[in-house]
Amino acid sequence: MSTLFWDCQTGISGDMAVASLLDLGASEKAVRTALAPLAGEGFELRVGRVEKAGLDCCDFDVVLDEEHDGHDHDMAYLYDPEWKPGEGSTAAGDACGHDGARGHGHRSYAQVREVLASLDLAPRARSLAEKAFHLLAEAESKAHGVPVDEVHFHEVGAIDAIVDVVAAAVCLDSLGVEKVVVPCVVDGTGMVRCQHGVIPVPVPAVVNIAAATGLPLCVSARQGELVTPTGAAIAAAAMTSDALPERFTVKACGMGAGKRDYDPPSILRALLIEEVDVPAPGVPLAPAPGVSLAPGTSVPGDWIWKLECNIDDSTGEMLGAVLEDLMAAGARDAHFLPVFMKKNRPAYELAIICDDAHREALERLVFAETTTIGIRRQRMERSVMSVSWRDVETSFGTVRVKVCGRDGLLRAYPEYESVLEVARAAGTDFRTVYLAAATSA
């Protein structure tokens, strides 16, 4: 199942959404084919590459003719409090924000639905486009205080907004995306100029969409409108979750560039990800596909518990006994470290490595056999070598050897008790038998 993660740390707009998906591998041909019936609407599609903050990004540009172009990316018009008519853009935006709120492109919600109905879209793409425009219609309705059917879009009805929504829907369908994760859309702050005056950021339509859908909205200290209504509607319509998996792998990454001149620049990142199952505590990770392990062999990578406590009032005899008992009770490993505690008291830190199946029993043993009153525990993932056991022949006798391997590395470790037993039986020293077994292994 394909999962898309939209990383909206520097905002989202309609063109950024489409660009990020095209850069991810969505079909540009499918987008152009879907939009071909709108060829007479006074726009041209341009898909290219731009550099933003040294990063190579995709640029999706809906280039409008002079009749439709309101110069939405004119920063002086949007943010200069001294701007006056005739000093740049002649019209841009509606009362709810900008995304391509371009001059003369007014349409009613009913007319927008007619445009969508005229296009040959796959069922999933059509459903997403219709949902996004419905969210926009409801947001406009609330902002202007008029019924949904009476809403006349300035921004939303503009042809470039229709192109952005349809193109995004076609791209998602082209990629086969079934889940879309949007942890947060990050907007700016301050004020922005629209057709009806200067309004606060986040703009009303974005706020209304977030309120209606649960789209997570974050407000940064950056000045400017980073999240446009069309971008918010696309994200909200596509979003299936706001929570990323605990662990995942990245299959592909796409970056879409924004048009406005912000610092840092607006870049929308889209990642195709695949969730990695997190095993329950104590359950080893499965081996890689195609890898089989011999019976009794450990998996190279698993989960363990680390238990710790500080002890400053137990005798050496007690500590020696508890270490032996811990190993007999199922600890993977256990050791003491000398430490200094409060009031400069010399003490020992007891550390235990164990699996989930033995954790509770080992904790009970520590409480019963030491003077500690608290145990710290931490669940940890390990990278370990695979382990198998072999009997190897030496001139002194058969010795049990532990063989460890990972990524082409091999290690052989003769087992202590086995070496000692063979050495004593042969009447020789431990080191001689150990080296003979290691060489043979």
Side-chain angles (χ1 to χ4, degrees):
M1 178 178 292
S2 295
T3 300
L4 175 79
F5 163 33
W6 252 331
D7 183 9
C8 308
Q9 295 184 70
T10 55
I12 182 171
S13 63
D15 55 348
M16 290 167 67
V18 178
S20 71
L21 298 174
L22 288 173
D23 199 36
L24 197 58
S27 170
E28 179 182 341
K29 180 180 179 181
V31 170
R32 292 187 180 277
T33 299
L35 294 170
L38 303 180
E41 289 278 357
F43 72 91
E44 176 189 353
L45 290 186
R46 295 179 186 172
V47 178
R49 313 297 302 180
V50 296
E51 183 179 299
K52 294 279 186 178
L55 300 176
D56 179 50
C57 304
C58 180
D59 179 50
F60 178 76
D61 198 2
V62 184
V63 183
L64 303 178
D65 61 24
E66 188 61 30
E67 177 184 359
H68 296 86
D69 190 2
H71 308 288
D72 177 51
H73 308 128
D74 183 341
M75 300 298 281
Y77 171 84
L78 296 173
Y79 300 115
D80 187 351
E82 304 299 324
W83 182 90
K84 294 180 177 58
E87 296 181 356
S89 165
T90 57
D94 61 6
C96 298
H98 305 262
D99 198 356
R102 283 94 188 224
H104 306 288
H106 297 196
R107 275 187 174 92
S108 68
Y109 180 38
Q111 290 173 319
V112 171
R113 294 200 305 269
E114 289 175 1
V115 171
L116 295 180
S118 71
L119 303 178
D120 183 17
L121 302 178
R124 288 204 310 170
R126 180 177 303 282
S127 175
L128 180 60
E130 291 175 347
K131 181 179 179 180
F133 270 107
H134 182 69
L135 292 174
L136 283 164
E138 289 184 326
E140 295 279 5
S141 169
K142 185 173 182 179
H144 293 290
V146 298
V148 172
D149 290 339
E150 296 179 20
V151 168
H152 277 71
F153 300 116
H154 305 296
E155 174 203 343
V156 179
I159 186 60
D160 59 330
I162 294 176
V163 170
D164 286 345
V165 170
V166 171
V170 171
C171 283
L172 287 168
D173 184 63
S174 165
L175 291 168
V177 170
E178 298 179 6
K179 292 183 178 180
V180 177
V181 180
V182 185
C184 187
V185 290
V186 180
D187 208 345
T189 188
M191 309 293 287
V192 65
R193 180 176 284 104
C194 69
Q195 184 176 359
H196 297 285
V198 177
I199 58 176
V201 177
V203 297
V206 169
V207 173
N208 293 342
I209 290 170
T213 64
L215 179 71
L217 180 62
C218 307
V219 178
S220 69
R222 293 178 61 192
Q223 296 290 313
E225 180 195 20
L226 308 180
V227 179
T228 63
T230 301
I234 291 171
M239 183 181 75
T240 59
S241 173
D242 63 0
L244 279 169
E246 182 178 342
R247 299 172 73 234
F248 59 86
T249 56
V250 177
K251 300 302 182 183
C253 175
M255 293 190 290
K259 301 294 189 300
R260 296 180 188 171
D261 188 17
Y262 293 129
D263 185 20
S266 294
I267 300 173
L268 177 63
R269 189 164 57 169
L271 289 82
L272 278 181
I273 63 175
E274 183 174 307
E275 183 173 359
V276 177
D277 290 336
V278 178
V283 177
L285 297 175
V291 175
S292 59
L293 299 173
T297 302
S298 300
V299 178
D302 61 7
W303 293 85
I304 51 89
W305 287 98
K306 183 179 182 181
L307 311 179
E308 293 179 344
C309 62
N310 296 345
I311 304 170
D312 65 354
D313 52 356
S314 290
T315 68
E317 292 86 352
M318 292 179 184
L319 297 180
V322 76
L323 206 61
E324 293 182 9
D325 290 344
L326 287 169
M327 297 304 296
R332 299 277 187 91
D333 203 349
H335 64 261
F336 288 107
L337 293 174
V339 295
F340 286 92
M341 295 174 55
K342 59 182 180 292
K343 301 181 182 179
N344 298 318
R345 294 174 182 171
Y348 291 94
E349 177 187 276
L350 171 60
I352 305 162
I353 303 298
C354 66
D355 58 29
D356 190 60
H358 295 89
R359 180 183 61 80
E360 291 186 4
L362 292 170
E363 288 185 355
R364 286 195 298 269
L365 191 152
V366 171
F367 280 127
E369 298 192 19
T370 75
T371 56
T372 189
I373 59 174
I375 300 172
R376 302 179 296 275
R377 63 172 175 259
Q378 183 179 11
R379 182 170 176 261
M380 308 174 76
E381 184 180 6
R382 307 187 303 173
S383 294
V384 297
M385 286 186 162
S386 61
V387 177
S388 60
W389 292 91
R390 298 180 187 175
D391 291 330
V392 300
E393 298 298 328
T394 73
S395 59
F396 305 99
T398 302
V399 177
R400 189 78 164 156
V401 175
K402 179 168 64 175
V403 179
C404 306
R406 183 184 179 95
D407 299 329
L409 297 174
L410 277 178
R411 300 284 187 272
Y413 302 101
E415 198 266 334
Y416 170 80
E417 279 81 6
S418 180
V419 172
L420 187 61
E421 181 182 353
V422 170
R424 287 177 174 171
T428 188
D429 62 275
F430 181 93
R431 181 175 180 273
T432 300
V433 175
Y434 184 95
L435 292 176
T439 301
S440 179

